[in-house]
Amino acid sequence: QSALTQPASVSGSPGQSITISCTGTSSDVGGYNYVSWYQQHPRKAPKLIIYEVSDRPSGISNRFSGSKSGNTASLTISGLQAEDEADYYCCSYTSSISWVFGGGTKLTVL
Amino acid sequence: EVQLVESGGGLVQPGGSLRLSCAASGFTFSTSWLNWVRQAPGKGLEWVANIKPDGSDEYYVDSVRGRFTISRDNAKNSLYLQMNSLRAEDTAVYYCARGDRWSFSYWGQGTLVTVS
């Protein structure tokens, strides 16, 4: 199972919006609405921010939103804040009864 | 409050074995899917294995199948990962994570395994 494809890095200024893409195949992202997104700050455990493509867990800011079209999922962060600077990972359930993550995207808030 | 606390990591020689544990609290352990996810130093996340709530089924990533065994003790609210025939490429921080709504809803702080 190959890792999902994410851009290595993205950046934006405070207040702006950014979008991180996550591309898979019809056997994972395209085949199931089971895409989730995780935020990881340095030396910390990952934190769930989006599940089932577009749902937010309790306590997660509505500045975070998710979507999917075909084999590509996207995470959008609006109103960028300094605390959003972190690594972001997408993840999808697969037809192999397994889970596959993206390679991760480093978000820099300028 | 959900808590997952991993232990058992350390330095092991190639070909050796190690058993990781994860102590859980703050949720109904016996009805939850549980997972191990690892992260090699400076690298991304990789799902390793998961286990059904009643322990009746287990699933593994291809690279560890046949070498690693996931298990659980619902009476002790504990998750385990028995790792045999360890390789240098198994070096990583290992996280236990609760499976919920087709995602990994809570994570422990991780335990470092170094194979060298």
Side-chain angles (χ1 to χ4, degrees):
Chain A
Q1 185 71 49
S2 298
L4 306 175
T5 300
Q6 297 181 234
S9 63
V10 298
S11 62
S13 299
Q16 288 186 330
S17 294
I18 63 95
T19 297
I20 299 172
S21 61
C22 169
T23 301
T25 69
S26 58
S27 296
D28 39 65
V29 174
Y32 305 91
N33 287 325
Y34 299 146
V35 175
S36 50
W37 289 88
Y38 302 86
Q39 177 191 62
Q40 186 179 33
H41 287 107
R43 296 171 297 282
K44 297 291 188 181
K47 177 182 179 181
L48 175 67
I49 56 174
I50 296 287
Y51 66 96
E52 292 180 20
V53 174
S54 59
D55 289 340
R56 281 186 308 277
S58 174
I60 298 300
S61 170
N62 59 9
R63 297 186 300 106
F64 295 90
S65 62
S67 63
K68 191 186 86 166
S69 178
N71 296 338
T72 298
S74 299
L75 171 71
T76 298
I77 308 174
S78 59
L80 268 180
Q81 300 178 359
E83 69 211 48
D84 298 333
E85 186 162 293
D87 293 328
Y88 291 84
Y89 294 91
C90 62
C91 182
S92 176
Y93 181 71
T94 87
S95 59
S96 303
I97 316 179
S98 62
W99 298 88
V100 62
F101 283 91
T105 298
K106 181 177 180 60
L107 169 61
T108 301
V109 180
L110 302 170
Chain B
E1 179 193 6
V2 173
Q3 283 200 325
L4 296 164
V5 180
E6 302 92 338
S7 61
L11 176 63
V12 61
Q13 292 184 339
S17 297
L18 211 55
R19 189 195 195 206
L20 306 183
S21 299
C22 174
S25 61
F27 64 98
T28 307
F29 185 86
S30 61
T31 61
S32 296
W33 281 80
L34 294 165
N35 301 264
W36 288 101
V37 179
R38 67 184 178 183
Q39 186 170 33
K43 302 297 184 182
L45 300 170
E46 179 183 37
W47 174 80
V48 173
N50 67 4
I51 186 168
K52 274 188 170 181
D54 63 1
S56 61
D57 276 304
E58 312 145 27
Y59 302 91
Y60 300 91
V61 68
D62 287 347
S63 59
V64 309
R65 188 175 293 113
R67 299 188 299 122
F68 290 11
T69 302
I70 187 172
S71 62
R72 62 192 296 163
D73 185 336
N74 286 348
K76 295 183 177 180
N77 282 7
S78 292
L79 176 71
Y80 307 102
L81 186 67
Q82 177 68 43
M83 303 185 296
N84 299 331
S85 302
L86 282 161
R87 307 166 179 168
E89 54 265 37
D90 296 318
T91 294
V93 173
Y94 285 74
Y95 296 99
C96 67
R98 178 189 175 194
D100 184 27
R101 295 170 298 187
W102 299 96
S103 62
F104 308 111
S105 54
Y106 292 95
W107 300 63
Q109 86 289 348
T111 187
L112 177 62
V113 172
T114 303
V115 184
S116 178

